[in-house]
Amino acid sequence: MDELKKILEQLKAINNRLDKRKRMTIVISAILTIAVIITLVSLTNHIRYEVLFSGLDPGEAGTIVTKLKESGVSYQLKNGGSTILVPDSQVYDLRLDLASQGLPQSGSVGYEIFDKNNIGSTDFVQKINYRRALEGELARTIATLSEVVAARVHLVIPEDRLFVEEKKETTASITLKLKPGRTLSVFQIQGIANLVSASVEGLHPDAITIIDSNSNLLSQPHKSNSLIAMSSNQMEMKQSVENYYGEKLKSVLEQVVGKNRVAVQVAVELNFDQVERTIEKYDPDNVVVISEQRDSQVTNSADGKTPQKSENTVTNYEVNKTVEKIVQDVGNIKRISAAVMVDGKYVPPPAAAKNTPPQYVPLAANELNQMQEIVKSAIGYSAERQDEVKVVNMPFDRTQVEQEKTELTQFEKKIFWEKIIRWVVYLLLALVVVYALWRVIKAFKTVLTSNPTQQPSTFSIPTSSQEAIEMELLPEMKNNLELQKSIAGLTKKNPDDAAKLLKAWLAEDAHA
């Protein structure tokens, strides 16, 4: 306590020695230093939040928030509480931790429902729990697909009947919540239906209805071998073949004319006729004896005395026959049509004309012919199929491309200058802190050097009143040589006291 009192007395003495201007300088410097330090600390320790989970049910979101509170993790809620954000440095650790606890479950319950032994539960309750567990496990499996955010599965499993004609069919309905901008192809939807049907006994893929969160029907209510299913599969195959040839031609031509300067459109006609032919060919020149039968018979002659012998021969021949059974492939190419548009060349303007746009120069005829031959080779051109290839040189509208390029350049410049300004601000703040600290240290140093208790001298003059100076100092030291030295030192160290002393002398001389 004594040391604290001494420190407080020293600070009070220092404060009394300061004038108003120095006090304001110290206070402003201290406030500015504290503000800059707080700003730097806040910028350094700024917490960035990232999405932990999104699209949660209210009940499940509440469970996760409770777990975060118990762990002492800061969080934020968005989208009405369905999205939870946590500090970016803890996202992956929290996901693993919550996953080990079975969260999130998207409102579904899996086989963990049987982890607790419910003694006394009826057979009906066990059946309901089994169906709930099966629905939950299927929903979790479907939700693991890259295009799916969440899934709900509902199963209708009828009870066994004594008679077969009274037995009802097992059905299922699935609701999918897809990621923004993502869609499912026909094959993916069929794959989900087959997955669910293979997991539920007695469930056929045709008895499964799949919709999305916008109530759009995704499944196809028809048999897999029906005409509608075949038409859908044929369209998928046709688009796949056209995309294959289009990407192939684009990749080849872009190596010649440059990226984004080629437009390709391919139309393919496929033969989906299921033809089965049986051909029988006969070779009359190649005859094979299958069997031969001979009958002998003895008869009497006309006079009745001489017997006569006759023989009948029956020969069966088989003509050589060839049987061919031909099954024509389904989906073979009947005809290909390819339309290719190629951009021309652009000659930059001369150095004198800076604001002039580049001049468009069309391609030569031999260049177009060479590109046409390349296209024919790439698609396997066949004159028998009456394939058609067109290569046309046309100027492309590059307004949007140039606009996007300009916006990208401006965005990059904006990011660059934002970084420069941020570092300049940090540097200025650091300089302000250093300057403020320097001013504070200088002010305290000035006070300490001017304090007579800290810097004792051979001579000191009390400042309590002018009368004390006149009564005690002037009669004794007026003609003393040491007075001059003391006054010189006092003038350098404390000009205010020296000025008071000088006024006292002048007043005394004037009175004399």
Side-chain angles (χ1 to χ4, degrees), residues 141-189:
T141 304
I142 297 172
T144 58
L145 300 178
S146 59
E147 293 85 359
V148 180
V149 176
R152 294 291 299 272
V153 179
H154 302 279
L155 299 176
V156 178
I157 304 177
E159 297 182 356
D160 296 334
R161 299 289 182 177
L162 180 61
F163 299 101
V164 177
E165 58 271 10
E166 296 180 357
K167 187 176 181 179
K168 296 183 179 180
E169 185 180 8
T170 303
T171 58
S173 60
I174 304 173
T175 303
L176 302 178
K177 184 178 180 181
L178 304 179
K179 294 181 179 179
R182 305 295 292 271
T183 57
L184 295 176
S185 63
V186 177
F187 297 104
Q188 289 175 315
I189 297 172

Side-chain angles (χ1 to χ4, degrees), residues 165-235:
E165 58 271 10
E166 296 180 357
K167 187 176 181 179
K168 296 183 179 180
E169 185 180 8
T170 303
T171 58
S173 60
I174 304 173
T175 303
L176 302 178
K177 184 178 180 181
L178 304 179
K179 294 181 179 179
R182 305 295 292 271
T183 57
L184 295 176
S185 63
V186 177
F187 297 104
Q188 289 175 315
I189 297 172
Q190 187 177 357
I192 294 175
N194 291 333
L195 171 67
V196 176
S197 66
S199 303
V200 181
E201 182 180 0
L203 179 60
H204 196 270
D206 299 331
I208 299 176
T209 302
I210 304 175
I211 63 173
D212 60 7
S213 56
N214 297 323
S215 302
N216 296 321
L217 182 63
L218 303 180
S219 60
Q220 299 176 352
H222 49 69
K223 301 294 181 180
S224 59
N225 58 351
S226 64
L227 293 177
I228 300 178
M230 291 177 62
S231 300
S232 177
N233 294 334
Q234 291 171 5
M235 184 61 65

Side-chain angles (χ1 to χ4, degrees), residues 140-360:
R140 293 177 184 177
T141 304
I142 297 172
T144 58
L145 300 178
S146 59
E147 293 85 359
V148 180
V149 176
R152 294 291 299 272
V153 179
H154 302 279
L155 299 176
V156 178
I157 304 177
E159 297 182 356
D160 296 334
R161 299 289 182 177
L162 180 61
F163 299 101
V164 177
E165 58 271 10
E166 296 180 357
K167 187 176 181 179
K168 296 183 179 180
E169 185 180 8
T170 303
T171 58
S173 60
I174 304 173
T175 303
L176 302 178
K177 184 178 180 181
L178 304 179
K179 294 181 179 179
R182 305 295 292 271
T183 57
L184 295 176
S185 63
V186 177
F187 297 104
Q188 289 175 315
I189 297 172
Q190 187 177 357
I192 294 175
N194 291 333
L195 171 67
V196 176
S197 66
S199 303
V200 181
E201 182 180 0
L203 179 60
H204 196 270
D206 299 331
I208 299 176
T209 302
I210 304 175
I211 63 173
D212 60 7
S213 56
N214 297 323
S215 302
N216 296 321
L217 182 63
L218 303 180
S219 60
Q220 299 176 352
H222 49 69
K223 301 294 181 180
S224 59
N225 58 351
S226 64
L227 293 177
I228 300 178
M230 291 177 62
S231 300
S232 177
N233 294 334
Q234 291 171 5
M235 184 61 65
E236 290 280 344
M237 184 181 297
K238 182 176 183 296
Q239 293 178 354
S240 177
V241 174
E242 290 176 349
N243 293 334
Y244 167 74
Y245 280 110
E247 293 296 331
K248 185 177 180 180
L249 293 176
K250 190 174 181 180
S251 63
V252 171
L253 295 175
E254 281 184 345
Q255 301 295 327
V256 180
V257 297
K259 193 173 181 61
N260 297 328
R261 298 181 62 186
V262 178
V264 180
Q265 187 67 37
V266 179
V268 178
E269 295 181 13
L270 301 179
N271 185 10
F272 295 102
D273 297 336
Q274 297 181 352
V275 179
E276 182 176 346
R277 294 180 297 175
T278 302
I279 300 176
E280 294 185 2
K281 296 180 180 180
Y282 295 93
D283 188 3
D285 297 332
N286 192 358
V287 180
V288 180
V289 177
I290 296 177
S291 62
E292 185 177 6
Q293 183 179 359
R294 295 182 180 182
D295 295 333
S296 299
Q297 185 178 3
V298 178
T299 59
N300 294 326
S301 58
D303 54 6
K305 296 181 179 180
T306 304
Q308 295 181 352
K309 186 179 181 180
S310 60
E311 185 175 294
N312 295 326
T313 302
V314 177
T315 304
N316 295 324
Y317 298 94
E318 180 69 23
V319 179
N320 187 20
K321 180 178 67 173
T322 302
V323 179
E324 295 182 359
K325 186 176 183 181
I326 300 175
V327 179
Q328 188 174 355
D329 293 335
V330 178
N332 57 347
I333 298 176
K334 293 174 59 177
R335 187 171 182 268
I336 300 179
S337 299
V340 180
M341 290 186 295
V342 184
D343 195 5
K345 299 178 182 179
Y346 293 88
V347 179
K354 295 182 179 180
N355 297 328
T356 305
Q359 184 180 2
Y360 174 78

